[in-house]
Amino acid sequence: MRQGLGAKLGVGWKLHGDGSTPRPGEAVAPDERLSWGRTIGLGAQHVVAMFGATFVFPVLMGLDPNLAIMVSGVATILFLLIVQGKIPSYLGSSASFVGVVTVIRAGGGDSSTVTGAILVLGLVLSAVGVIIHFVGPQVVHKVLPPAVSGAVVMLIGFNLAPVVAESYWPQDQWIALITMMVVLGCSVLLRGFWSRIAVLIGLVVGYVLSWLFDLGFGPITAPNASGAVSTHLRLDLSGVADASWFGLPTLHAPSFDAAAILVVLPVVIALIAENTGHVKAVEEMTGTKLDGSLGRAIFADGFASTLSSAVGGPPTTTYAENIGVMAATRVYSTAAYWVAAIVAILFGLCPKFGEVIAATPGGVLGGITVVLYGMIGLLGAKIWTENRVDFGDPVNLMPLAAGLVAGIGGVSLQITPQFSLSGIALGTIVTLLGYHVLRWLVPARG
């Protein structure tokens, strides 16, 4: 009975061979594991792979990175239980929300408004997962064809360009430039696992250089995080000494604002596309058909984001970084993800660690985000090329062109004196409705 329940929950791992490194040509299946010593080592690799992005994105959204690390561990455990251990994945902080959160804060929203909007989106994504589970994955392709999902992902990324130019980069342009070059160089010149953590390496280098610049050149006179010009140290570690070694992260309750919710909702399209792509990647690596688990995966992601935002944490998503670790090691065991999740929870219970993260200089964030935001946008183009979207067809070309310019350019549509649609929300509506209406009119046109 215990073994049957364990297998159903995806925690009844069988030992692969003698528990040592897989033989050439072999892979460790999700329901298998190596020896616990090796499994713990693999779990540590997964922690390193998710670590950089999981705390960088909450910092960019103005949320507690310590809490983000802890809830990523909880979210991963929930995900593995919901998908019954069939899809080995780590759930870290989502990059797709950085742009919409910036828009909400620019409109006067605070952290509770942000997490309230994310909570609603989490519920919507959970509902989509349930529909997909019962109706089938084909509904995703009909409602969100590659032309539409690629455009939405692209405008989410490129809509962030002014944030880099106006907020982060001016705080320390030289540290930003060096950090950017380190990220670019590491991603190309390093190999395998190390190239996959290029962002983390860039962050560490920029962090240390900021400290050295303070020692060598003294304080900098430049805009601070609020945009006001002042003379200050690049790296302020005053909060680290006062923080305790052990304690709960800062929690807060969400609040709900209709305008903020409308700004966030288009991200659901990006998350569906992202989850579907990651499930397909795992399917190809493991050689196991996972269409029947796609609905569970999307529901689990939405459910985890709902729980995270309910306590003040960021949204979550499955991580390509950890899929890359699996591809390099050919070890798909979910036991390693359980180890990574437990380690993340323990990290999140150290406030001193959180203060070190929160002290990340603005120039360092500028160098990282100029790469990351562009990468998010280009993922949309990747969706187009992989699915061979035909831009010779005006049904693809025209609504996408209009939606992208409306979303990236900040076009605004005033609905009432108190409410308007703009940016990502308006761009998504133009793209989605324009595509489907024109596609519906094509037979009438002949």
Side-chain angles (χ1 to χ4, degrees):
M1 178 67 180
R2 286 183 179 177
Q3 287 184 344
L5 180 61
K8 193 167 184 179
L9 293 175
V11 295
W13 301 286
K14 300 172 290 187
L15 189 66
H16 178 86
D18 62 359
S20 62
T21 305
R23 291 188 292 272
E26 289 187 351
V28 180
D31 62 347
E32 296 179 330
R33 66 170 177 84
L34 298 176
S35 66
W36 280 114
R38 288 176 173 81
T39 298
I40 291 171
L42 288 163
Q45 287 189 66
H46 282 300
V47 170
V48 174
M50 68 82 183
F51 191 81
T54 295
F55 81 75
V56 167
F57 296 138
V59 169
L60 298 179
M61 289 187 274
L63 300 175
D64 184 359
N66 233 42
L67 179 60
I69 295 291
M70 188 175 77
V71 296
S72 76
V74 175
T76 298
I77 290 173
L78 286 172
F79 180 89
L80 294 173
L81 291 173
I82 291 170
V83 300
Q84 300 175 317
K86 294 180 180 177
I87 306 175
S89 284
Y90 193 93
L91 264 66
S93 305
S94 175
S96 300
F97 289 80
V98 175
V100 292
V101 168
T102 303
V103 172
I104 292 172
R105 290 193 179 277
D110 58 11
S111 293
S112 64
T113 307
V114 166
T115 50
I118 292 169
L119 189 150
V120 173
L121 182 137
L123 292 173
V124 172
L125 186 61
S126 300
V128 171
V130 172
I131 293 169
I132 292 171
H133 181 71
F134 288 105
V135 176
Q138 66 276 4
V139 68
V140 176
H141 306 299
K142 288 182 179 178
V143 178
L144 298 174
V148 172
S149 58
V152 173
V153 172
M154 181 173 285
L155 70 87
I156 286 172
F158 291 159
N159 184 261
L160 295 167
V163 178
V164 179
E166 298 169 9
S167 298
Y168 294 122
W169 193 277
Q171 291 187 45
D172 193 336
Q173 61 175 359
W174 298 113
I175 289 292
L177 180 63
I178 295 169
T179 303
M180 180 193 73
M181 296 305 296
V182 170
V183 173
L184 295 178
C186 289
S187 64
V188 175
L189 300 176
L190 299 182
R191 292 289 179 265
F193 172 74
W194 293 104
S195 68
R196 296 184 180 280
I197 60 169
V199 171
L200 179 59
I201 295 172
L203 187 143
V204 172
V205 170
Y207 201 102
V208 172
L209 280 178
S210 296
W211 175 66
L212 293 175
F213 275 35
D214 282 339
L215 292 178
F217 305 112
I220 185 174
T221 301
N224 55 24
S226 63
V229 177
S230 64
T231 301
H232 56 274
L233 292 174
R234 297 167 181 82
L235 179 61
D236 182 5
L237 295 174
S238 58
V240 177
D242 298 331
S244 59
W245 283 100
F246 180 80
L248 284 173
T250 304
L251 309 179
H252 70 257
S255 62
F256 302 98
D257 177 82
I261 291 168
L262 281 175
V263 169
V264 166
L265 280 179
V267 180
V268 75
I269 297 173
L271 294 180
I272 293 170
E274 187 174 43
N275 275 277
T276 302
H278 289 173
V279 169
K280 289 294 182 185
V282 173
E283 183 178 82
E284 290 177 11
M285 286 191 298
T286 60
T288 306
K289 291 293 289 180
L290 295 173
D291 273 354
S293 298
L294 178 60
R296 284 179 176 269
I298 292 175
F299 169 80
D301 188 9
F303 183 61
S305 291
T306 301
L307 292 183
S308 174
S309 55
V311 297
T316 62
T317 188
T318 51
Y319 259 26
E321 290 91 334
N322 296 88
I323 292 174
V325 172
M326 290 193 296
T329 61
R330 292 182 59 81
V331 178
Y332 311 127
S333 172
T334 56
Y337 282 104
W338 275 83
V339 171
I342 292 169
V343 171
I345 292 170
L346 294 176
F347 266 132
L349 294 172
C350 179
K352 193 174 288 290
F353 167 75
E355 286 295 332
V356 171
I357 296 170
T360 304
V364 177
L365 295 177
I368 290 172
T369 52
V370 76
V371 179
L372 286 178
Y373 293 170
M375 287 174 62
I376 296 169
L378 289 176
L379 284 175
K382 186 171 180 282
I383 292 172
W384 287 342
T385 56
E386 288 180 347
N387 292 276
R388 299 180 180 178
V389 174
D390 179 14
F391 287 106
D393 183 351
V395 176
N396 290 334
L397 178 64
M398 303 306 285
L400 270 59
L404 285 171
V405 170
I408 297 171
V411 173
S412 179
L413 185 66
Q414 197 73 35
I415 308 298
T416 70
Q418 292 77 32
F419 176 72
S420 65
L421 284 172
S422 62
I424 296 171
L426 181 60
T428 299
I429 291 171
V430 170
T431 300
L432 188 62
L433 292 184
Y435 176 88
H436 284 291
V437 169
L438 290 177
R439 184 63 64 192
W440 176 70
L441 289 174
V442 164
R445 184 188 69 180

